Amino acid sequence: MAINGTAPAPASTTKPVVPQAELDLAYSVVRPCLVKQQMLSNKFAHSFGMRLAFSVEMPLITKRAGYSGILMNLEHMAMGMETMSQVASSCLNVGITPMVVVPTCAPEWISRSLDSGAQAIIVPHVNDVVQAKMCVDAAKFPPMGRRSVTMVTAMTQYSSNIGYRAIAQAVNDNVLIMPMIETREGVENVEEIAATPGIDCLLIGCADLCMELGIPQEYDGELFHSTIAKIAAAADKASVDGRRVFVGLGGLEPRPDLIETFAKRHACIRYAMAGRDIAVLMAGMSKQAATFNELSERLQ
């Protein structure tokens, strides 16, 4: 992946290659994916989740707070595509990653979310290599995938003067596809899923996975830890020939101690969901209300 808008030089090959000047132009136009850049730089990326506050002002607040991205969960909340697109464009404008959880691996959800401004796509319940390939096909332009050509988007700053081959390479480099491993079947097939070309990060849905394993919320148990290790090993095995496959953690934000333990234990774990608006509001409001309720008691 290019860092800071500089395109990697095309490899020497007998096939036609994109001129370097055109690639440089494409990479200078395409908005960089901060979450992906941070993981590639061995930093720990983290996102803030939207559940209640859908304002386009939220990305700026999120950026100033220090997050890497905003996560919009279309699987579990009542956000529409138009609102998602507006928030995503705001994220791109302030320089954080707009991340979207789509309801299924259906191509129309993935490609439409990307066309509407999303930069990272999280796909729930990916259980086998067929579904993993569906994710890549919908998210990446040829030759890596089969995403339909729609180059004039917020991610490309609505540029229409750059050749398709150059812009496709730059966009593919800055789109993050993250299948969720959260079922027994997904764990059983995790090596094949991770090995699928175009998969960037395996996101562990910790709550659903533990429910599937019959150990709800038992995050300190041996079975959960060994399952994390198996998924991390699959990502490491797939990281060959310059390719990097990462692992992310979803649903463990109440346990930052455990997130740190896993990140230190497995170098490929470099992303986590890190809270959501409803939890921050409840914590802040509860503290503020308690302060004034105590004041009221002292006045009696």
Side-chain angles (χ1 to χ4, degrees), residues 36 136 140 144 175-178 194-201 243:
K36 193 171 186 179
V136 174
K140 308 278 186 170
M144 181 171 288
V175 162
L176 192 60
I177 187 72
M178 306 170 69
T196 304
I199 294 297
D200 299 295
C201 179
R243 180 186 179 213

Side-chain angles (χ1 to χ4, degrees), residues 122-277:
I122 297 170
V123 187
H125 304 293
V126 174
N127 295 323
D128 55 42
V129 69
V130 173
Q131 292 176 333
K133 188 65 168 65
M134 286 176 64
C135 295
V136 174
D137 280 347
K140 308 278 186 170
F141 291 119
M144 181 171 288
R146 305 185 69 181
R147 180 181 169 189
S148 181
V149 175
T150 307
M151 302 302 187
V152 184
T153 65
M155 187 174 169
T156 63
Q157 300 187 66
Y158 306 103
S159 300
S160 58
N161 62 331
I162 305 173
Y164 283 172
R165 233 175 0 186
I167 206 76
Q169 180 175 322
V171 169
N172 281 353
D173 245 1
N174 285 282
V175 162
L176 192 60
I177 187 72
M178 306 170 69
M180 292 192 73
I181 308 299
E182 49 188 348
T183 65
R184 290 180 181 272
E185 187 180 357
V187 173
E188 291 170 1
N189 296 320
V190 70
E191 281 197 10
E192 291 81 6
I193 293 170
T196 304
I199 294 297
D200 299 295
C201 179
L202 307 172
L203 181 62
I204 303 172
C206 298
D208 281 349
L209 180 58
C210 283
M211 287 291 286
E212 283 265 336
L213 296 175
I215 51 169
Q217 294 182 297
E218 294 182 24
Y219 300 130
D220 295 298
E222 173 57 31
L223 178 56
F224 180 61
H225 284 237
S226 63
T227 304
I228 296 289
K230 179 176 181 178
I231 296 169
D236 288 337
K237 184 176 180 180
S239 297
V240 295
D241 299 326
R243 180 186 179 213
R244 296 288 304 278
V245 179
F246 295 96
V247 173
L249 301 171
L252 274 188
E253 53 265 36
R255 293 293 306 275
D257 60 316
L258 203 50
I259 292 174
E260 183 174 358
T261 294
F262 288 137
K264 287 180 175 178
R265 187 180 296 167
H266 306 290
C268 59
I269 295 181
R270 287 297 178 265
Y271 165 77
M273 297 179 182
R276 64 201 71 187
D277 54 10

Side-chain angles (χ1 to χ4, degrees), residues 39 42 98 104-105 173 266-267:
M39 292 193 297
N42 200 36
T104 74
C105 63
D173 245 1
H266 306 290

Side-chain angles (χ1 to χ4, degrees), residues 50-54 72-84 101 109:
M50 282 184 156
R51 182 64 185 267
L52 299 174
F54 296 167
M72 294 166 277
N73 194 328
L74 303 189
E75 181 190 17
H76 289 302
M77 71 179 189
M79 175 184 276
M81 188 67 70
E82 185 173 349
T83 301
M84 182 278 287
V101 183
W109 273 107

Side-chain angles (χ1 to χ4, degrees), residues 271-288:
Y271 165 77
M273 297 179 182
R276 64 201 71 187
D277 54 10
I278 190 169
V280 171
L281 279 169
M282 182 61 73
M285 292 170 68
S286 297
K287 183 178 179 180
Q288 193 76 8

